[in-house]
Amino acid sequence: MGKRSNFIKVPKDLYRTIDPRACPPVLPFVLSEGIRRFIEPCYGYGDLPGPFLRAGLDCVGRYDVAPRSTRVIDPVVPLDGRELTAAHLNGADAIITNPPWTRDLLHALIARWVPLSVCWLLFDAAWKHTGQAVELMRAYCTDFVPCPRLIWIPGTTQASKDDCGWYRFDRAKSPRQATKFWPLGQGPYVRLISGKNSMGYAACQ
């Protein structure tokens, strides 16, 4: 997965979002902008949505090019993310996922998704410093929220050697608007939601 990883590359970039530290940094941002419904177009085994669901959000679309989840409660529609359309959003406010990090595929997915919806995407932090990222960052990236180095492989305790974080892409971004690079552990305080009952406050710690 990383430039310096010793792990054998996983087919289809199926690196699972199993580390409990992955989602808390971005959750306050998602809630503060009023996102309540989202889709997960790279669903895999269904590891990522849990923290968002527990915060009161609703996952209204689950898609994957090769669905792995067999839970009846979480039906996954077979779909290549490059074929996602507005109809697949089901009224969602955002696309939230850990996409494949392979550059050609990642870029194709960003180009396909951003015209459809606000996107919060989890992938490597180094990408934003590369030449191939310049146009996409300038045109669409409003925020970058860093994460700790995460564990991606089930059954291991070794974190990745590469930093990662959450990129927010929005087609409404002004070309003159600078991307906001948030320090690790900083973010807005927001009230979590769960139907009609609040669940307290969340913030990046």
Side-chain angles (χ1 to χ4, degrees):
M1 136 168 287
K3 299 184 294 294
R4 298 172 296 277
S5 173
N6 294 322
F7 292 116
I8 297 173
K9 185 174 176 61
V10 176
K12 299 187 184 299
D13 281 4
L14 182 61
Y15 291 95
R16 298 177 59 178
T17 317
I18 56 173
D19 195 315
R21 300 171 299 166
C23 296
V26 77
L27 187 53
F29 293 88
V30 168
L31 293 174
S32 70
E33 66 176 296
I35 293 173
R36 297 297 180 262
R37 294 158 58 88
F38 70 99
I39 67 165
E40 221 294 27
C42 303
Y43 194 76
Y45 288 96
D47 300 301
L48 184 141
F52 299 96
L53 299 178
R54 289 190 289 273
L57 278 72
D58 187 13
C59 184
V60 297
R62 299 169 173 86
Y63 307 101
D64 198 278
V65 67
R68 275 85 174 178
S69 175
T70 58
R71 297 175 57 186
V72 176
I73 195 173
D74 297 329
V76 184
V77 177
L79 181 71
D80 187 317
R82 292 168 293 187
E83 299 175 359
L84 193 78
T85 69
H88 295 115
L89 295 180
N90 298 325
D93 305 307
I95 296 169
I96 303 176
T97 192
N98 169 19
W101 295 11
T102 299
R103 297 315 191 207
D104 289 348
L105 181 53
L106 174 64
H107 295 169
L109 293 173
I110 293 173
R112 182 72 175 190
W113 296 344
V114 174
L116 301 176
S117 177
V118 168
C119 299
W120 278 102
L121 308 182
L122 175 63
F123 59 96
D124 64 288
W127 176 81
K128 65 183 183 294
H129 301 297
T130 64
Q132 60 192 310
V134 170
E135 292 304 319
L136 289 172
M137 289 290 293
R138 180 184 295 122
Y140 301 125
C141 187
T142 63
D143 298 83
F144 176 78
V145 179
C147 290
R149 291 186 175 180
L150 303 176
I151 296 171
W152 302 99
I153 309 298
T156 70
T157 58
Q158 181 180 344
S160 169
K161 297 178 182 179
D162 292 289
D163 297 314
C164 67
W166 289 91
Y167 295 81
R168 181 183 184 273
F169 294 98
D170 187 348
R171 66 179 178 181
K173 176 181 180 291
S174 167
R176 298 182 179 180
Q177 178 184 351
T179 301
K180 173 70 174 179
F181 296 98
W182 293 84
L184 182 64
Q186 291 191 14
Y189 284 82
V190 294
R191 184 179 293 275
L192 301 184
I193 59 168
S194 179
K196 297 181 180 180
N197 301 315
S198 73
M199 298 172 59
Y201 290 89
C204 297
Q205 300 294 330

